[in-house]
Amino acid sequence: MNTTFHSTRSSSEQLTSRQAIRQGLASDGGLFVSDELGRQQVDVSTLIGKPYREMARTVLGVLLPDFTAAELDDCVRAAYGSQWLDSAITPLKPLGDDYVLELFNGPTSAFKDVALQILPQFMARTTSASSEIGDKVMVLTATSGDTGKAALAGFADTPGTGITVFYPEGKVSEIQRLQMTTQAGSNVNVCAVRGNFDDAQTAVKRIFGDKALAAKLMEGHNVSLSSANSINVGRLVPQVVYYFSAYAQLVERGAIKVGDEVEFVVPTGNFGDILAGYYAKKLGLPVGRLIVASDRNNVLFDFLTTGTYNRERPFFETTSPSMDILVSSNLERMLYYMSDGDTELIRNLMDDLQNKGSFTIPEPLLERIRGLFSCGWADEDEVSQAITECWKNNHYVIDPHTACGYHVMSQEPRESTMPRVLLSTASPYKFPRVVGRALGLDTTGSGFECMDRLAQATGTTAPKNLRGLEHATERFTDVIDIGEMADYVRAASERL
Ligand SMILES: *Cc1c(COP(=O)(O)O)cnc(C)c1O
């Protein structure tokens, strides 16, 4: 048995990757990591010219050693097929002297599809991971917009699984709400909650900790609860693949030869997307600097410049909602590896964060981290300007999340001739009003009217999955109180 996964805060409990995916979070609150990371390297020269699926099989085979090759093949086939608008899955395109890696060509037009199309496939293959879990799994998520839809699309009609998504009533955009409430599938449940996102998130955490409910679901219905949260190792590892894909595409274009280093600029919130780049480097990919791009919630920028992470600060609602985060969970994994697996240090830092609202890392560790990670951030005006500039300079339309990265990239001194790749995390058509305003378009009327004007002005096309929402039928109209969420979950689990 390949039990190499343990908590970032202790190595006493050892799990297989299958168990780690099923469990989500370690019992001490830490994140699952494996000390095997990097022992087996992936030779990128063997991947040049290969289809995305084959790269995924190779990279995932190294990162999830207790899945068989046949299982991974089935997972990859189901996840990276015709539901993607581009057969390259994550196509690389030139952007002036730089490049952009499009991560938004999946079924919900956001980069979370890369992970959430395959996580359900992994999850469906974890039911035999431990005798304490049931045959069926109900995935539970509170969402502020993007994650909920990507999780719904991934889990819809996946055998042995169900999905329940709660969103705060009136707090997500019209398009985001329609994306969720029109979701097809016999195992999906979507419900609005009276309250804000934090209220819903806190209630979901309480439901996860409800032992009586868990026992009832297990005994009565053979169902266990699980999470599709971005701290799940099954969401992180699929993202490592597109760094290899980006590199291979640069080689294929003749922009680099194998062995040359490449820099990546990554719009970041929970630190998952950029952490995957660090994993790729550990697997042997020639990654130069990894550049963290934040929005006005620039807690990571402050951390990387001072060594102190302080979550006691005002929270800003910006036009890049998926990066509006004060506690960047996946940072803990980077600190674990950068400190050479010092579980005691991580435990102390996380205790400080919990009890004092901040932590400070030792100076030598900060120096080491800064040798690899640089950082920048964009305020709301700079986001808007970046959308305008990128269109003017490159005739390429970017969304507000990607715009944070574009701004940071344009501020960074270029390291000699090293190619730079900007990761693009959402389709501009998910945010047609913000993008339209930046481009000086008329932004009155519905989101769909904004989409049409954006299409007309830029000669681009709105993805069908978004434009088609205007006439799709809403299936889910329930609105409940926070106190009713547990009952909703029980009823949904009974139907599974
Ligand atoms: C989730 C998300 C991000 C941030 O990704 P992390 O992995 O949390 O750093 C950036 N852009 C978009 C559009 C997202 O949905």
Side-chain angles (χ1 to χ4, degrees):
M1 284 269 273
N2 235 313
T3 53
T4 67
F5 284 80
H6 63 81
S7 168
T8 42
R9 302 182 194 177
S10 137
S11 43
S12 53
E13 190 190 12
Q14 303 270 338
L15 278 70
T16 63
S17 66
R18 215 183 282 264
Q19 291 167 328
I21 288 171
R22 181 60 170 233
Q23 197 174 316
L25 198 66
S27 43
D28 61 5
L31 276 56
F32 287 117
V33 283
S34 166
D35 298 334
E36 289 294 302
L37 178 64
R39 282 208 189 128
Q40 190 186 339
Q41 299 275 291
V42 174
D43 180 358
V44 68
S45 71
T46 64
L47 300 178
I48 312 300
K50 297 282 162 58
Y52 191 91
R53 286 184 191 178
E54 193 168 332
M55 294 190 212
R57 279 193 293 266
T58 304
V59 173
L60 293 172
V62 172
L63 293 171
L64 303 176
D66 57 308
F67 281 77
T68 67
E71 281 178 313
L72 288 179
D73 189 42
D74 289 344
C75 292
V76 163
R77 269 174 206 284
Y80 304 121
S82 57
Q83 70 271 49
W84 291 77
L85 291 178
D86 194 302
S87 61
I89 307 299
T90 58
L92 181 93
K93 300 186 173 167
L95 191 69
D97 293 334
D98 302 301
Y99 297 88
V100 59
L101 184 71
E102 291 185 352
L103 304 179
F104 58 75
N105 290 298
T108 80
S109 304
F111 105 95
K112 289 183 174 64
D113 286 331
V114 178
L116 281 165
Q117 282 294 299
I118 200 164
L119 177 69
Q121 301 300 324
F122 296 153
M123 199 67 92
R125 289 165 179 81
T126 62
T127 44
S128 58
S130 150
S131 57
E132 287 151 43
I133 54 182
D135 294 337
K136 293 180 281 187
V137 55
M138 173 58 80
V139 172
L140 212 55
T141 306
T143 185
S144 55
D146 281 347
T147 304
K149 175 59 183 182
L152 285 165
F155 279 96
D157 291 328
T158 300
T161 75
I163 169 121
T164 302
V165 171
F166 294 109
Y167 69 92
E169 185 193 20
K171 301 269 182 348
V172 303
S173 78
E174 173 194 15
I175 293 185
Q176 284 176 321
R177 179 178 58 81
L178 287 171
Q179 274 195 298
M180 293 190 275
T181 56
T182 58
Q183 175 67 48
S186 59
N187 63 341
V188 305
N189 310 277
V190 178
C191 185
V193 175
R194 291 182 198 99
N196 61 28
F197 170 66
D198 275 337
D199 300 333
Q201 171 100 313
T202 306
V204 163
K205 283 189 185 148
R206 204 161 43 228
I207 293 171
F208 278 128
D210 184 341
K211 298 235 160 56
L213 176 64
K216 204 170 201 168
L217 293 181
M218 179 59 70
E219 278 153 33
H221 311 282
N222 219 0
V223 172
S224 54
L225 298 179
S226 190
S227 149
N229 194 290
S230 83
I231 44 89
N232 193 309
V233 72
R235 266 191 68 177
L236 177 64
V237 295
Q239 298 178 185
V240 179
V241 178
Y242 52 70
Y243 284 88
F244 280 88
S245 162
Y247 194 93
Q249 291 180 72
L250 283 169
V251 175
E252 283 158 33
R253 293 180 153 268
I256 55 169
K257 40 186 204 334
V258 174
D260 292 348
E261 289 197 329
V262 175
E263 283 186 355
F264 292 91
V265 184
V266 190
T268 306
N270 229 344
F271 211 78
D273 197 1
I274 192 152
L275 183 72
Y278 176 65
Y279 274 46
K281 186 178 176 72
K282 287 219 148 253
L283 293 184
L285 192 72
V287 174
R289 285 184 312 164
L290 288 162
I291 302 170
V292 174
S294 301
D295 66 17
R296 195 176 166 205
N297 293 291
N298 56 2
V299 62
L300 283 168
F301 175 86
D302 286 350
F303 170 64
L304 290 167
T305 41
T306 65
T308 296
Y309 191 101
N310 186 355
R311 70 164 196 206
E312 303 293 326
R313 51 170 63 226
F315 175 82
F316 301 110
E317 278 183 28
T318 73
T319 52
S320 44
S322 297
M323 290 161 61
D324 290 344
I325 277 172
L326 295 183
V327 178
S328 192
S329 314
N330 267 303
L331 183 67
E332 186 171 340
R333 281 196 171 100
M334 185 268 266
L335 293 171
Y336 173 83
Y337 285 113
M338 278 290 186
S339 67
D340 293 323
D342 190 344
T343 50
E344 196 185 330
L345 172 73
I346 306 301
R347 199 165 55 238
N348 290 335
L349 296 178
M350 294 306 140
D351 280 350
D352 282 353
L353 187 64
Q354 174 86 30
N355 302 328
K356 299 190 225 151
S358 71
F359 65 77
T360 301
I361 60 169
E363 188 64 35
L365 178 56
L366 178 62
E367 281 311 303
R368 219 174 146 189
I369 292 171
R370 286 168 56 94
L372 177 56
F373 290 90
S374 13
C375 57
W377 65 284
D379 68 23
E380 289 290 88
D381 287 341
E382 288 164 337
V383 165
S384 183
Q385 273 163 26
I387 295 170
T388 317
E389 294 279 305
C390 186
W391 170 248
K392 261 205 223 137
N393 296 341
N394 313 299
H395 265 237
Y396 185 81
V397 194
I398 53 176
D399 93 290
H401 300 79
T402 309
C404 294
Y406 187 85
H407 172 78
V408 170
M409 187 162 79
S410 59
Q411 301 290 305
E412 278 285 318
R414 179 183 290 279
E415 291 255 338
S416 64
T417 57
M418 199 186 290
R420 303 192 299 188
V421 178
L422 169 64
L423 272 52
S424 178
T425 52
S427 162
Y429 284 96
K430 275 202 97 164
F431 307 93
R433 206 178 298 274
V434 180
V435 175
R437 204 180 301 132
L439 298 183
L441 308 178
D442 173 7
T443 52
T444 55
S446 72
F448 300 104
E449 289 171 82
C450 292
M451 282 189 204
D452 291 345
R453 291 190 203 107
L454 183 60
Q456 179 142 43
T458 62
T460 57
T461 318
K464 279 205 194 69
N465 70 59
L466 296 178
R467 187 63 189 83
L469 287 171
E470 187 172 17
H471 303 295
T473 313
E474 285 194 71
R475 294 180 63 201
F476 301 98
T477 51
D478 289 346
V479 186
I480 62 173
D481 288 325
I482 298 283
E484 298 172 297
M485 287 168 64
D487 280 341
Y488 187 93
V489 171
R490 181 167 44 227
S493 301
E494 283 169 6
R495 288 196 299 271
L496 202 63

